[in-house]
Amino acid sequence: MEISEVLVRHGLLTTDQRDQVKQQSNGHRFDKAVIEMGLLTEEQTLQAFAEELGMKYVELKDFTIDPELLNLFPTSTIYRHSLLPLRRENGLVEVATSDPFDLEALDELSSLSNLRLEPVLARHADVVQFIKEKLGVGGDTINELVKQKTDDDDDYLAEASRADGELAEMAQQASVIRLVNELLLEALQQQASDVHIEPGERGLRVRYRVDGMLRVQSVPPEINQFYAAIVTRLKIMSRLNIAEKRLPQDGRIELKVAGRDIDVRVSIIPMLHGEGIVLRILDKGRMVFNLSSMGMPDPIYHPFQKLISLPHGIVLVTGPTGSGKSTTLYSGLNEIRNAHTKIITVEDPVEYQLDGISQIQVHSRIGLTFAAGLRSILRHDPDVILIGEIRDYETAEAAIQASLTGHLVFSTLHTNDAASSFTRLVDMGVEPFLVASTVEGVMAQRLVRRLCMHCRESYQPTPDELPKDFPNRDIQELFRPVGCRECGDTGYAGRIGAYELLINDDTIREMCGQRVSSTRIRQYGVEHGMITLRQCGWLHAMNGTTSIEDVLRITKGDIV
């Protein structure tokens, strides 16, 4: 059967398009080339093949797959050929495939299972996703590892009885390396920011943080047997001490995946049932440091632009871990970067490398702390300085001295809102009058999830559905999440910032000098036009960017 003629006959392609694809296919199969060129979707081609061959095209989300049925088939064949047994009917087992022409794979699965199969068509990504959900990420690799085990080496896998040299040797086996790579690749495909590998009393749990929310990732139960080898493999990749199992360790892995530079920060902490691992994934290829595209409302964007263009002073960005503080600061540096401005950063670690900016990596073990680095770089005649984080009095004092000597200093703090930054610095031991005279403005921020534009649903809220502090009680249209294939049925895709900008003035300086509470400073800011995190979230909700529920999840109500 000529694939191109099927697509023309079903009215999906013109003869001119057919000839064009044949010329540009570069040896790829015709239907694959058509999809790559964007002329048709995979769904359109599969539906045409189903009609032509008398097969069924199915949506896998409509199926509840019986685990006992999957147990009748060899998982290695399921993974290798992306074939998913769905259900048994009339003595036949329906098997989902995305390639109706790969008859050898179906014959192999049928002969190995001794069952009669009836192929049905489904999207490749859906088939692969369901296989991972039902059998776990790396299931095929783990099966290989289980086969490599013999009855004699059961004790060999027990961490307590294994020498470090033997453990390192196992961690370097091809199957273990592939298993760790599969866990990382799956995280990248889901666009996860963190991977949590957590040992528990009942076994190993893997979770991915996607758009700020943790998702439990299905893994085969046999993975528990290879947990020690996984930990050791990650230690080897991040150049950590594989013999140290009692103290926390931090490292870094640099990867190149499909031409993209991936930086993975590794944190390992001993816990009750073993060493817990968190991998922070920094996908440099996906990052765009552009202040105008970060979702700041105009009443915040324009004052912040003026703030980062000041000749001296301190500009702080605050918020919890993973709230986008570094992205905001990098975007600010990109905004003011030019050939006439010398910018130096001191970071722990250097997350993203920026052209035209001198970046210093902190090394606390050899004495290169934030404070020590800051004192040294003042001799390099910088105009703008970025300190990764103000953690202690010594760093705060060095930052203030730099701002007093004519430098613009950017840094981050861990506080819940903008006003708390003033009292936080005073709590560190900095004199209130120094805080008042050097801090020019504070930006607090959080990240709310963006509604998926493919499936968000418009609705008219009733007054009872609106929170008490929602600003527009008569609003006619809001949007809520639904869930579709594009967003993984979550209803959300990506995140956008919610911001709160407090700019210092004479009154706040006086209040700070008098050690006034952060509540009163915040109250003054709101009375004089400061947009709070909650209010910024409501603006995003009214624009259809996010949902009311996500604003409520990520921000605290304004009590003034």
Side-chain angles (χ1 to χ4, degrees):
M1 182 180 68
E2 181 67 39
I3 292 175
S4 60
E5 296 307 321
V6 172
L7 299 178
V8 171
R9 191 157 56 245
H10 284 262
L12 298 175
L13 290 178
T14 64
T15 54
D16 289 342
Q17 287 175 320
R18 176 198 61 193
D19 297 339
Q20 177 192 356
V21 173
K22 285 184 175 181
Q23 290 174 358
Q24 301 177 10
S25 62
N26 294 325
H28 293 178
R29 205 172 78 184
F30 187 86
D31 55 324
K32 308 294 184 187
V34 167
I35 295 168
E36 286 177 10
M37 293 171 66
L39 295 174
L40 295 176
T41 64
E42 183 186 11
E43 189 173 347
Q44 288 174 307
T45 61
L46 289 176
Q47 286 177 342
F49 295 151
E51 190 175 331
E52 184 77 16
L53 299 169
M55 300 171 68
K56 285 194 291 187
Y57 173 82
V58 298
E59 289 287 349
L60 293 186
K61 65 181 181 181
D62 300 331
F63 285 83
T64 302
I65 299 170
D66 183 4
E68 293 184 6
L69 178 63
L70 288 180
N71 291 335
L72 301 176
F73 295 87
T75 54
S76 57
T77 307
I78 288 176
Y79 275 97
R80 188 166 66 254
H81 297 299
S82 297
L83 298 173
L84 178 63
L86 298 176
R87 63 187 174 191
R88 181 182 287 185
E89 275 191 354
N90 303 323
L92 295 174
V93 177
E94 285 189 350
V95 176
T97 177
S98 60
D99 190 349
F101 308 109
D102 191 1
L103 301 180
E104 289 182 9
L106 291 162
D107 289 341
E108 180 185 338
L109 189 64
S110 178
S111 62
L112 289 173
S113 62
N114 290 320
L115 293 168
R116 294 172 59 204
L117 309 181
E118 181 183 353
V120 296
L121 299 183
R123 290 175 73 250
H124 179 72
D126 293 346
V127 174
V128 171
Q129 179 187 343
F130 265 70
I131 290 173
K132 288 176 181 175
E133 284 180 7
K134 302 305 174 185
L135 299 177
V137 174
D140 188 27
T141 306
I142 288 172
N143 285 336
E144 281 186 33
L145 285 168
V146 172
K147 287 176 186 175
Q148 290 168 12
K149 281 185 58 184
T150 64
D151 295 334
D152 297 328
D153 67 8
D154 281 343
D155 292 335
Y156 171 77
L157 286 171
E159 183 179 352
S161 63
R162 188 191 300 139
D164 292 323
E166 294 173 319
L167 185 59
E169 186 178 337
M170 183 180 182
Q172 294 293 68
Q173 288 182 11
S175 297
V176 175
I177 291 172
R178 192 160 75 246
L179 175 59
V180 171
N181 290 345
E182 285 172 354
L183 289 171
L184 287 170
L185 285 171
E186 180 64 19
L188 288 170
Q189 286 173 6
Q190 294 191 27
Q191 297 186 359
S193 60
D194 301 86
V195 180
H196 295 245
I197 304 174
E198 305 158 327
E201 186 178 2
R202 298 181 181 177
L204 189 66
R205 180 167 70 165
V206 176
R207 296 192 287 176
Y208 294 149
R209 189 177 292 280
V210 181
D211 291 340
M213 303 291 285
L214 281 172
R215 297 180 187 173
V216 176
Q217 179 61 52
S218 174
V219 291
E222 292 83 4
I223 198 173
N224 299 321
Q225 304 171 40
F226 308 100
Y227 171 64
I230 293 171
V231 174
T232 305
R233 172 60 187 163
L234 286 168
K235 285 181 178 179
I236 290 170
M237 292 173 72
S238 48
R239 299 177 180 84
L240 299 178
N241 182 359
I242 65 171
E244 182 56 73
K245 302 178 181 68
R246 300 166 302 169
L247 294 173
Q249 297 190 72
D250 293 314
R252 180 177 179 179
I253 302 170
E254 293 181 353
L255 304 172
K256 203 168 189 72
V257 180
R260 290 152 50 199
D261 290 322
I262 309 295
D263 199 18
V264 182
R265 286 155 53 184
V266 182
S267 176
I268 301 178
I269 298 179
M271 295 183 178
L272 189 61
H273 298 286
E275 293 175 280
I277 306 170
V278 175
L279 310 174
R280 166 64 60 87
I281 298 173
L282 304 170
D283 189 345
K284 300 177 182 178
R286 291 181 54 226
M287 291 307 300
V288 178
F289 300 115
N290 187 345
L291 208 58
S292 61
S293 64
M294 293 181 62
M296 290 185 191
D298 286 343
I300 292 178
Y301 175 65
H302 296 300
F304 188 69
Q305 266 191 320
K306 293 179 182 176
L307 203 60
I308 62 178
S309 302
L310 292 173
H312 55 79
I314 297 176
V315 177
L316 296 173
V317 178
T318 80
T321 302
S323 60
K325 301 187 297 294
S326 297
T327 304
T328 298
L329 286 176
Y330 281 143
S331 300
L333 291 181
N334 258 348
E335 189 95 355
I336 62 174
R337 179 183 60 178
N338 57 54
H340 312 294
T341 304
K342 170 102 175 195
I343 302 174
I344 303 181
T345 75
V346 188
E347 304 170 66
D348 183 22
V350 174
E351 294 185 352
Y352 300 99
Q353 298 176 24
L354 302 175
D355 291 335
I357 294 177
S358 305
Q359 295 174 275
I360 299 171
Q361 168 76 54
V362 166
H363 288 288
S364 300
R365 291 179 184 174
I366 60 174
L368 181 53
T369 61
F370 280 119
L374 187 51
R375 283 193 293 270
S376 299
I377 64 178
L378 289 178
R379 304 188 194 104
H380 272 242
D381 187 29
D383 299 297
V384 179
I385 300 167
L386 168 64
I387 308 170
E389 183 184 346
I390 295 179
R391 297 176 179 170
D392 50 38
Y393 168 74
E394 191 181 12
T395 310
E397 183 188 39
I400 283 174
Q401 292 303 319
S403 70
L404 288 172
T405 52
H407 303 89
L408 181 61
V409 180
F410 290 170
S411 191
T412 69
L413 269 180
H414 286 284
T415 62
N416 288 326
D417 58 23
S420 299
S421 299
F422 293 94
T423 52
R424 178 82 180 94
L425 290 171
V426 172
D427 289 342
M428 284 183 184
V430 181
E431 290 293 338
F433 74 90
L434 288 175
V435 176
S437 60
T438 55
V439 176
E440 295 293 343
V442 185
M443 172 88 85
Q445 71 177 74
R446 299 289 188 278
L447 294 175
V448 294
R449 292 181 292 171
R450 287 179 184 266
L451 285 168
C452 173
M453 293 296 142
H454 294 92
C455 67
R456 66 175 186 171
E457 179 181 73
S458 169
Y459 73 102
Q460 183 175 350
T462 63
D464 293 339
E465 292 177 307
L466 296 174
K468 291 181 180 178
D469 60 346
F470 194 81
N472 184 358
R473 311 299 300 180
D474 300 321
I475 191 165
Q476 297 298 306
E477 184 182 47
L478 287 173
F479 291 87
R480 56 190 168 202
V482 175
C484 67
R485 180 182 290 147
E486 299 292 333
C487 61
D489 288 320
T490 62
Y492 297 93
R495 290 186 290 175
I496 191 171
Y499 303 94
E500 174 180 291
L501 179 60
L502 179 60
I503 295 180
N504 205 353
D505 62 15
D506 291 340
T507 304
I508 293 177
R509 290 189 181 93
E510 187 176 337
M511 294 169 81
C512 185
Q514 296 172 358
R515 296 179 182 263
V516 167
S517 70
S518 61
T519 305
R520 286 182 56 191
I521 295 175
R522 176 181 173 80
Q523 182 178 358
Y524 170 82
V526 171
E527 289 172 354
H528 288 77
M530 181 182 78
I531 296 175
T532 65
L533 288 167
R534 176 65 72 97
Q535 291 167 353
C536 187
W538 291 148
L539 291 175
H540 288 320
M542 289 188 287
N543 290 336
T545 308
T546 191
S547 65
I548 280 185
E549 292 75 21
D550 214 56
V551 176
L552 292 172
R553 179 184 67 85
I554 212 69
T555 63
K556 187 178 177 183
D558 295 327
I559 301 173
V560 178

